[in-house]
Amino acid sequence: MGPIVRSEHDAVHYNPKPAKPQHKSITMAASSSSTILSSGSAIKLNSLSSLKWKLPVSVSLPRHQRRRASPVFVVVSMDAKPTVLVAEKLGSAGLDLLKDFANVDCSYNLSPEELCTKISLCDALIVRSGTKVSREVFESSGGRLKVVGRAGVGIDNVDLGAATEHGCLVVNAPTANTVAAAEHGIALLTAMARNVAQADASIKAGKWQRNKYVGVSLVGKTLAVMGFGKVGTEVARRAKGLGMHVIAHDPYAPADRAHAIGVDLVSFDEALSTADFLSLHMPLTPATSKILNDENFAKMKKGVRIVNVARGGVIDEDALVRALDAGIVAQAALDVFTVEPPPKDSKLIQHENVTVTPHLGASTMEAQEGVAIEIAEAVVGALKGELASTAVNAPMVPAEVLTELKPYVTLAEKLGRLAVQLVAGGSGVKSVKVTYASARAPDDLDTRLLRAMVTKGLIEPISSVFVNLVNADFTAKQRGVRISEERVLLDGSPERPLESIQVQIANVESRFASAISESGEVTVEGKVKDGIPHLTKVGAFEVDVSLEGNIILCRQVDQPGMIGTVGSILGEENVNVSFMSVGRTAPRKQAIMAIGVDEQPSKSVLKRIGEIPAIEEFVFLDL
């Protein structure tokens, strides 16, 4: 075993309500009001004993509906589909995907007031660049809105801070329109250099002005790509093919990726001072807002030409007009503007040396369908509770890593749920420690997803708060208690990301005394076996039970016939046993029996188990 690496985070402070004991030897973690937790929300139902069908994969209902308790509510919730509001036009292929899973409301050109009114009835919202998803939208949703999908790359029209605070995932479609945007950038570059738009307008006006519209060649000229992400990289590739010398500025781009296609990364000032052409591909952030202003135009080579297919707000448009009039900027080709559509009398739009298009970067038939499919898949996946590789306000993890971590993410949430249900009523949870045992180096194991899911498992069983990857850390900080993380470095081959996860809650009493470890914490530990999460340790006792369905934990005197006795009681009540495991300190001494059950046993069944003389304590845990 190697060294232990520790880190610490704010966690959750809450006080679980005490359950009423049904028998002096019985403690139940499930009350008569059962809780079903889906990936979308926690739903309170009065009784599930008569239900004979399974819940859908994801159920997402507004908080005010969760508090209702009536037979009608139960029936409706079983069949209800989530509702997706599509606020701007989306390709038919994407709409078809959405309609297979959800009720789809296509309502375009909504005013801010109309959007706020509609949003309380929606589980997801899909927009393009024209709809502002403000804090008021999230507040008006009443907690129902679970995901906002931005059909495109930029997310500056979505209030990410408000989304995170309200537990709403924001996803985008960053890849489908990459080539289309790059192609449009190159189209504007070449059209601007050869005065295509102006010459076209001149001929249509009955003129023939060959001498006026002499252009400039691209071969041998220096193009500075400002923002070397997906689109910037594709523009650079194409510009190289046109014989241009390409440099790039991006403080986050790796130099080896740029060098691989023959591009030199340079400083911001060097890019401005040496470029014959500037192509803008940075996002609109507080740092990039109006980054091309009077001061920076003054640093440019006289006669520079500018292409912008990114965001209008990165250019101070009044300053650009002044630079054009002064001859610092010879020409500009713009697809995006600070205000869209721009005013008809805009000096910039009407300038003779400016070529404009109405935000057509992603407007190819192929890109429109691709974006529609990409965002629809991301939204549906998020509503199902799947991990999103395109999430912009949650831990960004590559798709291949998400696939590898998926069973461990499930394990982390299940362990959190188990641990909190083992805490006795009235014990305030103030300190939680999560320990990861792995043969991988710390830099090769990102635990943010796992920590978020442990937090989700800890909070949701005893709270009406909806917790997901987006707001887990925020919720933890809001509650004011620390979560610490430890990594135990194991010897061996790091083929698997993790060997085990352990969750410990310190300074609490337990409703199942055997869950207290030798060091005094409520302790549960688990592993992934053949892709299935398993509980492998409770307190100081080794067990082995699949974390599917629900679990009954019994502390008993180790003697023959106990498995058969408990199994018979469950069988008589038609409760199916999926797994059973016994861990003991020594033969004929104390043992822990862990039983996985598919259904929730009735109170009478649990009472009968508790009355078995050899059973000293037990607890039912709802997973």
Side-chain angles (χ1 to χ4, degrees), residues 28-274:
M28 295 181 62
S31 67
S32 59
S33 177
S34 302
T35 302
I36 299 175
L37 289 177
S38 72
S39 57
S41 56
I43 306 168
K44 303 282 187 180
L45 304 180
N46 271 352
S47 174
L48 292 177
S49 59
S50 62
L51 297 182
K52 302 301 183 184
W53 58 89
K54 294 183 179 181
L55 285 169
V57 173
S58 177
V59 182
S60 186
L61 296 172
R63 192 168 283 124
H64 71 276
Q65 287 189 7
R66 296 183 209 159
R67 296 191 180 102
R68 297 178 184 173
S70 67
V72 173
F73 168 71
V74 172
V75 173
V76 171
S77 69
M78 295 301 102
D79 297 325
K81 288 184 175 181
T83 297
V84 178
L85 173 61
V86 180
E88 297 182 65
K89 288 186 178 181
L90 197 68
S92 59
L95 289 175
D96 290 341
L97 280 173
L98 292 171
K99 289 174 182 177
D100 286 342
F101 176 76
N103 297 314
V104 179
D105 177 1
C106 293
S107 296
Y108 308 141
N109 303 315
L110 295 173
S111 68
E113 294 76 17
E114 290 170 333
L115 179 59
C116 287
T117 299
K118 268 184 169 289
I119 205 64
S120 64
L121 302 176
C122 302
D123 304 283
L125 169 66
I126 294 179
V127 299
R128 301 186 75 87
S129 60
T131 301
K132 298 294 183 184
V133 189
S134 63
R135 177 173 291 274
E136 288 72 26
V137 173
F138 294 105
E139 291 174 348
S140 299
S141 75
R144 177 165 176 173
L145 187 63
K146 298 299 181 295
V147 56
V148 171
R150 165 65 170 93
V153 179
I155 39 81
D156 45 279
N157 56 319
V158 180
D159 189 328
L160 289 181
T164 299
E165 290 176 25
H166 288 79
C168 183
L169 188 70
V170 180
V171 296
N172 65 351
T175 61
N177 63 2
T178 296
V179 170
E183 288 178 346
H184 194 63
I186 293 295
L188 288 177
L189 179 75
T190 55
M192 173 180 63
R194 300 305 299 268
N195 300 302
V196 171
Q198 293 87 341
D200 174 76
S202 173
I203 290 182
K204 289 178 178 176
K207 302 175 182 179
W208 188 261
Q209 299 174 296
R210 293 183 66 193
N211 293 333
K212 182 177 182 180
Y213 295 117
V214 175
V216 295
S217 180
L218 299 178
V219 173
K221 298 298 195 308
T222 296
L223 170 68
V225 177
M226 310 300 284
F228 201 63
K230 291 183 174 64
V231 177
T233 300
E234 292 302 321
V235 167
R237 292 180 192 277
R238 287 157 176 76
K240 294 283 289 183
L242 294 172
M244 302 186 78
H245 171 59
V246 182
I247 60 176
H249 170 73
D250 190 324
Y252 305 105
D256 56 349
R257 180 162 61 85
H259 293 159
I261 59 174
V263 174
D264 296 324
L265 288 179
V266 300
S267 68
F268 181 74
D269 285 350
E270 184 178 350
L272 295 185
S273 62
T274 59

Side-chain angles (χ1 to χ4, degrees), residues 356-498:
V356 292
T357 53
H359 205 142
L360 298 179
S363 295
T364 66
M365 294 177 62
E366 295 84 356
Q368 291 295 297
E369 287 301 291
V371 166
I373 292 171
E374 186 174 8
I375 199 62
E377 289 177 341
V379 168
V380 169
L383 288 174
K384 289 180 177 179
E386 296 173 358
L387 303 176
S389 61
T390 61
V392 295
N393 63 338
M396 292 297 293
V397 182
E400 61 272 16
V401 177
L402 289 179
T403 301
E404 183 181 47
L405 283 182
K406 188 172 183 178
Y408 299 94
V409 166
T410 303
L411 172 64
E413 181 183 357
K414 298 282 190 181
L415 291 176
R417 291 179 61 81
L418 284 175
V420 75
Q421 291 182 75
L422 290 168
V423 174
S427 298
V429 176
K430 299 177 181 179
S431 179
V432 178
K433 182 172 71 173
V434 186
T435 303
Y436 312 100
S438 174
R440 292 189 179 179
D443 292 342
D444 196 26
L445 179 63
D446 188 340
T447 61
R448 291 174 299 170
L449 284 172
L450 303 174
R451 182 179 73 246
M453 297 309 287
V454 169
T455 304
K456 176 182 176 71
L458 287 166
I459 300 173
E460 285 194 343
I462 47 81
S463 172
S464 61
V465 176
F466 171 78
V467 182
N468 60 16
L469 302 180
V470 178
N471 67 348
D473 285 344
F474 174 82
T475 302
K477 290 179 181 179
Q478 203 174 38
R479 302 299 177 94
V481 179
R482 295 174 180 175
I483 285 183
S484 63
E485 292 181 295
E486 291 186 357
R487 304 189 192 190
V488 178
L489 304 181
L490 305 176
D491 297 328
S493 174
E495 294 180 1
R496 292 180 296 180
L498 285 164

Side-chain angles (χ1 to χ4, degrees), residues 253-376:
D256 56 349
R257 180 162 61 85
H259 293 159
I261 59 174
V263 174
D264 296 324
L265 288 179
V266 300
S267 68
F268 181 74
D269 285 350
E270 184 178 350
L272 295 185
S273 62
T274 59
D276 301 300
F277 293 82
L278 283 169
S279 187
L280 307 183
H281 303 287
M282 71 273 286
L284 179 60
T285 67
T288 62
S289 178
K290 296 186 177 180
I291 195 169
L292 294 195
N293 49 31
D294 287 312
E295 179 183 357
N296 286 323
F297 281 125
K299 298 176 183 178
M300 296 179 188
K301 181 189 292 187
K302 187 171 183 179
V304 69
R305 290 170 168 82
I306 297 173
V307 175
N308 187 11
V309 293
R311 284 288 178 268
V314 302
I315 297 178
D316 182 335
E317 293 178 347
D318 292 335
L320 177 56
V321 171
R322 290 190 288 271
L324 285 161
D325 291 340
I328 297 173
V329 176
Q331 290 179 293
L334 309 173
D335 185 49
V336 288
F337 308 91
T338 302
V339 176
E340 295 184 354
K344 293 181 180 179
D345 59 352
S346 166
K347 291 183 179 179
L348 181 63
I349 301 301
Q350 300 300 329
H351 202 287
E352 182 181 17
N353 294 328
V354 175
T355 301
V356 292
T357 53
H359 205 142
L360 298 179
S363 295
T364 66
M365 294 177 62
E366 295 84 356
Q368 291 295 297
E369 287 301 291
V371 166
I373 292 171
E374 186 174 8
I375 199 62

